[in-house]
Amino acid sequence: MKLLDKYILKQVITMFIMGVLVFTSIIFASDTFITLIKQISKYGIPFNFAFMIIILHLPAVFVMTIPMGVLLATVMTLNGLSLSSEITVMRACGIGLNRIAKPIFCFAIVMTFVSFIVNETVVPIATEWSTNVALKAFGQKHIPEGKQNFTFKEVKEGGTLKRLFYVGDCTDGTLHNITVLDASKEGTIQILQAREGLTSPAGWKFQKGAIYTVTDNGKTLDTTLFNDSTIMFGMDLSKEIEKNQAGERNFIQLMKYIAKEGKPELKIDLYDKLALPLTTVVLVLIGVPLAITPPRVRYNRGFLFSILIIFAYYLIRALSISFGEAGTLIPVLSAFMPNIILTIIGVGLYYRKVYTIC
């Protein structure tokens, strides 16, 4: 490694670490903590469960912020060298932009592989754990271990009673002597009594009980006895489970899952596992020529350029994925469209900067 490479890489790595921390903090502050508040207030998830879910989402956020951090490091480093006339001196010594950008592209390639490896190994495990923690939180939010003779209720939007639950006691996560008063259907009231029960992602599971259907005036319409019965009360978690199918699998596992289960809608997520890491090199390709400031410009515009490029990338990404989900674009083109567009722009800018102006 040449002295020039070490000099540039030292600045790039410093700015990269700062960029990842900044963008990760922004994502957490703007999106993740809002999700935390919603989960606590709307679904009644305890704070420790919600906080654990956020921590387990950190690897996925890290994969997203690697390209942002590399772009910020590239633009800020080269822009700083340009403003201090160091790039001018390098060119006067016969060092072209290709040679100056070489260590940055090498760093971007390394971070592309790091992003891919993290997305293939750490993210699926963390996403699976996050799903399990969420299901446990949703399923057990009403179970106060060791408490006796307690009640809780669900209300409708207008504040009227929807369901009233009475539990004799809770031991080892199992509810005993349960009575449920269900007033969710107009005109009738259902009364469920069971000796034992527990909550699960599939619903409330009751054992050895009976269901009585009573009209508003007290007339019994129907009586059903059961040994085992599963009833869905509250939120349906099927969508929560389904939306993490792609995140819980690496590329090979997801490809096999799509072929086995016949879920073509997940193909965009499949190709995105390749497209997202490659974004690191693409953003550097477009960032290098934009970072070289003309001599008459005496202020650092690197951070502004970084924000604009990232905004353009994620705008194109959102549009292409939307078109892919609507069937307008094929999945592979939907996933790689942002990279293709920015690569074309980057090659044009890079060629003009290196071979036309230099």
Side-chain angles (χ1 to χ4, degrees):
M1 186 180 294
K2 302 294 184 179
L3 184 62
L4 176 64
D5 298 330
K6 293 181 180 180
Y7 177 68
I8 294 176
L9 279 177
K10 181 179 179 180
Q11 299 181 60
V12 168
I13 293 174
T14 302
M15 290 303 303
F16 168 74
I17 295 174
M18 186 192 76
V20 169
L21 292 176
V22 168
F23 289 120
T24 301
S25 300
I26 292 173
I27 292 176
F28 265 58
S30 62
D31 179 60
T32 312
F33 278 109
I34 294 177
T35 303
L36 167 63
I37 295 172
K38 286 183 178 179
Q39 288 175 340
I40 294 175
S41 61
K42 184 176 181 179
Y43 302 129
I45 297 180
F47 179 83
N48 58 332
F49 281 102
F51 184 76
M52 182 61 66
I53 293 172
I54 288 179
I55 296 299
L56 291 173
H57 275 89
L58 186 60
V61 175
F62 181 63
V63 171
M64 292 179 60
T65 56
I66 284 179
M68 301 181 192
V70 173
L71 173 64
L72 180 66
T74 300
V75 175
M76 293 293 287
T77 299
L78 291 181
N79 207 193
L81 294 176
S82 180
L83 289 174
S84 60
S85 301
E86 292 182 69
I87 290 183
T88 302
V89 174
M90 293 178 192
R91 288 178 173 179
C93 296
I95 302 175
L97 184 59
N98 280 331
R99 181 63 186 85
I100 297 173
K102 179 182 176 181
I104 300 178
F105 277 107
C106 291
F107 179 74
I109 292 172
V110 171
M111 296 314 300
T112 296
F113 282 103
V114 170
S115 176
F116 179 77
I117 292 172
V118 172
N119 201 30
E120 288 292 286
T121 56
V122 181
V123 172
I125 296 174
T127 305
E128 184 178 1
W129 287 357
S130 174
T131 302
N132 293 335
V133 171
L135 294 178
K136 183 177 180 181
F138 285 130
Q140 296 187 358
K141 64 178 182 178
H142 289 315
I143 301 182
E145 185 68 31
K147 191 173 181 180
Q148 296 182 347
N149 298 320
F150 61 92
T151 62
F152 53 89
K153 63 182 178 180
E154 293 183 19
V155 296
K156 300 178 182 179
E157 291 186 359
T160 58
L161 180 66
K162 185 177 182 180
R163 295 185 184 94
L164 179 66
F165 298 79
Y166 167 81
V167 179
D169 64 87
C170 177
T171 306
D172 297 329
T174 301
L175 307 174
H176 301 278
N177 300 324
I178 309 158
T179 300
V180 180
L181 180 65
D182 189 350
S184 58
K185 297 180 181 179
E186 292 211 7
T188 62
I189 298 175
Q190 282 191 326
I191 301 174
L192 182 147
Q193 292 182 318
R195 292 187 180 180
E196 294 181 354
L198 52 87
T199 59
S200 72
W204 288 65
K205 297 183 178 180
F206 299 102
Q207 296 178 344
K208 301 176 183 179
I211 300 176
Y212 308 97
T213 303
V214 184
T215 62
D216 289 341
N217 56 14
K219 182 180 179 181
T220 301
L221 297 178
D222 186 33
T223 300
T224 303
L225 302 178
F226 62 86
N227 287 323
D228 294 284
S229 179
T230 301
I231 302 176
M232 178 60 70
F233 289 142
M235 192 179 87
D236 183 3
L237 299 180
S238 59
K239 293 182 180 180
E240 295 293 322
I241 299 173
E242 184 65 26
K243 73 179 183 181
N244 287 331
Q245 292 299 326
E248 293 177 5
R249 292 169 170 82
N250 58 34
F251 185 85
I252 300 299
Q253 293 171 339
L254 183 57
M255 185 169 58
K256 292 180 179 178
Y257 178 78
I258 293 173
K260 180 181 178 182
E261 300 295 333
K263 293 184 176 291
E265 66 273 10
L266 294 179
K267 286 187 177 180
I268 298 177
D269 298 297
L270 176 69
Y271 295 120
D272 192 55
K273 289 182 177 291
L274 300 177
L276 186 58
L278 289 175
T279 303
T280 305
V281 177
V282 174
L283 292 181
V284 169
L285 181 63
I286 197 173
V288 168
L290 290 178
I292 307 300
T293 306
R296 62 182 179 274
V297 178
R298 304 312 301 169
Y299 62 92
N300 194 324
R301 57 185 185 180
F303 186 78
L304 177 61
F305 274 151
S306 301
I307 298 300
L308 292 177
I309 295 171
I310 291 170
F311 175 78
Y313 168 77
Y314 280 101
L315 177 62
I316 299 172
R317 174 183 167 88
L319 291 174
S320 64
I321 290 179
S322 298
F323 286 138
E325 292 175 346
T328 306
L329 293 177
I330 60 175
V332 62
L333 191 58
S334 175
F336 282 94
M337 181 62 75
N339 289 353
I340 294 173
I341 294 176
L342 292 184
T343 298
I344 295 173
I345 297 174
V347 169
L349 292 174
Y350 194 88
Y351 179 84
R352 180 174 179 272
K353 182 67 69 173
V354 174
Y355 298 103
T356 305
I357 297 179
C358 298

